Amino acid sequence: MEAKDKIIERILLLIAFSSISILGLIALFIFGEGLPLIWKVGPRAFILGERWVPSQGSFGILPMIVGSFWVTFGAILLGVPLGLACAIFLSEWTPPLIAMVLRPTIQLLAAIPSVIYGFWGLIILVPLVRNYLGGPGLSILSGSVILGFMILPTIISISEDSLRALPPYYKSGALALGATHWQAIWRVMVPAARSGIVASIILGMGRAIGETMAMIMILGNAVKMPTSFLDSARTLTTNIGIEMGYASGDHRQALFATGVILFLIIMILNSSAIALSRRRRS
Amino acid sequence: MQELNTKIEARGLNFYYGSVQALKNINIHIKERQITALIGPSGCGKSTFLRALNRTNELIPHTRTEGSVMLDGEEIYRPGLDVVGLRQRVGMVFQRPNPFPKSIYENVAFGPKVLGIYSRREIEEKVEKSLKAAALWSEVADRLHTSALNLTLGQQQRLCIARVLAVEPEVILMDEPCSALDPIATLKIEELMQELKKRYTIVIVTHNMQQAARTSDWAGFFLLGELLEYGPTADLFTRPKDKRTENYVTGRYG
Ligand SMILES: Nc1ncnc2c1ncn2[C@@H]1O[C@H](COP(=O)(O)OP(=O)(O)OP(=O)(O)O)[C@@H](O)[C@H]1O
Ligand SMILES: [Mg+2]
């Protein structure tokens, strides 16, 4: 028995180690391909440059950084209030039987392939924006709305978990002091679950920044500084997705370099989410 | 001795968890500005009875209440009664200290804020007054804005009492408020109760016979969901009418 345990332990260790090292290799590869170009162009010119014309050797990705920022910001603006409201509703007001149906349904939203979201946005949302608000319709606004929906499952399920993980005496304590149900939720439970809710928002941001397919279909992909929510735009991910097929040389390296920046942004977001959920547990 | 007012009266009170009856035909007069102690073996329905007095029982799903409870002669189970208002009049201190994960100040300010008081100065006054009344002010005055969870258990429990006082209730229900505390902290709470008795009606559940005998004016003995005996504390402890009460208060129950 002992010997068998040892063997299983070794095998698991090997598997864990190899998956970590594959991740490490991928990161190493991206950095290896991307960093030399950032060095060649100069980090400042690369990150703050506004011109992206690969054929002329100008590689400035500021429009894409700004595009990613706006789309994510818009998604959060829509997804957070909606997601938090759903989470509160699910954990506090929904009868258990209905919640048992709703919860997996919401999880299912996360399983819909992003190309479907993109397709839906292209057919329904883009014409609506074009007809009623003007502009090309393929825009930051359309992208934000779609992304807002795509991050809902993340925000709802993590926020709801953290609300339900609260000790029941927070709520009963507040009610016994003469608070209404809503006051107990808003003044005691939501603040107590704050770190979990913030973590859900950060994970949602990570998802929004990383989304590629739906954004390629909806954003219009123009390489210019967006000036309004009705402008079309390009994000860091869509930049890679669109051009990778035909890029070579410096151009190809510049796409990896875009990936490096993306990688760093997402690392920062994820580690802050982890730090926050650690603090919640302690 | 002057005639005492009845603050709370229960008549034919029954309570069910699903099909299990936890309170059986409870009849009791709880006197104003007196300390009433409820004693009895574990599981006999003391906490359930206490929760029936501020209608927090109904937060537990699949439960049912029958009979009547009057507060100042007004039926609290009347349909359409303002339950939130009732809970403001009948405050509750729980067995385990349960401060909110907020600062000391915010814990006490919670009640006034919920009552719709927005003036900062008014809230500050209430916080100070309540903490003083709960004999906690001198220990926390210099760290009002630090987390309540850093206080000792005894301090947390007094904070919970302060939190209730800030709502300015008429009745304070205490469910074994000292069971998580050491003897010194317990003594502090008992002294505090004597002080609070001047203004509030107090109902306390306790497993500690000495505590009940020491602190209370009236005592009720619960057994298996029934209120077996109720009367002045001295009578209940020195000349109980029921053999089972006698066995329990002398520690021969079993
Ligand atoms: N939430 C609940 N759901 C179902 N039954 C319950 C619930 N709470 C209490 N009971 C049952 O009701 C009866 C009375 O419980 P209660 O908590 O009022 O007793 P108690 O006298 O306060 O006991 P203790 O001294 O241990 O606190 C017990 O048989 C208990 O098992
Ligand atoms: Mg109890």
Side-chain angles (χ1 to χ4, degrees), chain B residues 155-171:
Chain B
Q155 289 171 326
Q156 286 187 9
Q157 195 61 303
R158 275 178 287 149
L159 178 67
C160 292
I161 294 174
R163 199 170 66 171
V164 168
L165 296 181
V167 183
E168 298 184 353
E170 298 157 31
V171 180

Side-chain angles (χ1 to χ4, degrees), chain B residues 55 60 71 76 113 129 230:
Chain B
R55 290 186 57 176
I60 305 166
L71 176 64
I76 69 166
K113 284 186 177 171
K129 204 172 118 212
Y230 175 64

Side-chain angles (χ1 to χ4, degrees), chain A residues 75-90 106 109 145 148-153 155-156 159:
Chain A
I76 293 296
L77 217 57
L78 178 75
V80 169
L82 212 58
L84 192 55
C86 283
I88 290 174
F89 184 75
L90 267 180
I106 289 167
L109 280 180
V145 172
F149 282 112
M150 293 177 74
I151 63 175
L152 272 183
I155 294 184
I156 294 173
S159 299

Side-chain angles (χ1 to χ4, degrees), chain B residues 42-105:
Chain B
S42 188
C44 65
K46 306 179 297 291
S47 300
T48 305
F49 176 69
L50 217 54
R51 288 194 300 264
L53 303 183
N54 68 348
R55 290 186 57 176
T56 41
N57 266 336
E58 62 201 53
L59 301 174
I60 305 166
H62 313 299
T63 57
R64 188 157 53 89
T65 311
E66 290 169 357
S68 145
V69 176
M70 315 273 239
L71 176 64
D72 286 337
E74 195 200 353
E75 175 60 54
I76 69 166
Y77 283 95
R78 165 173 76 77
L81 179 108
D82 169 20
V83 182
V84 166
L86 167 71
R87 291 181 190 147
Q88 285 162 359
R89 291 174 67 192
V90 184
M92 184 155 192
V93 176
F94 293 78
Q95 178 168 0
R96 294 199 59 79
N98 61 344
F100 301 132
K102 296 170 177 280
S103 70
I104 295 168
Y105 178 89

Side-chain angles (χ1 to χ4, degrees), chain A residues 96 166-181 183-194 282, chain B residues 54 56 59 84-85 87-88 90-92 94 97-102 107 110-111 113-116 118 149 160 163-164 167:
Chain A
L166 292 176
Y169 54 72
Y170 287 163
K171 180 176 165 187
S172 52
L175 292 178
L177 284 169
T180 61
H181 192 179
Q183 285 171 327
I185 293 171
W186 195 246
R187 288 172 180 266
V188 177
M189 300 174 70
V190 167
R194 189 179 48 218
S282 62
Chain B
N54 68 348
T56 41
L59 301 174
V84 166
R87 291 181 190 147
Q88 285 162 359
V90 184
M92 184 155 192
F94 293 78
N98 61 344
F100 301 132
K102 296 170 177 280
N107 262 280
F110 180 82
K113 284 186 177 171
V114 155
L115 285 172
Y118 294 108
L149 304 181
C160 292
R163 199 170 66 171
V164 168
V167 183

Side-chain angles (χ1 to χ4, degrees), chain A residues 28-40:
Chain A
L28 211 67
F29 182 74
I30 294 173
F31 277 77
E33 291 283 311
L35 279 181
L37 183 111
I38 296 182
W39 226 236
K40 190 164 139 192

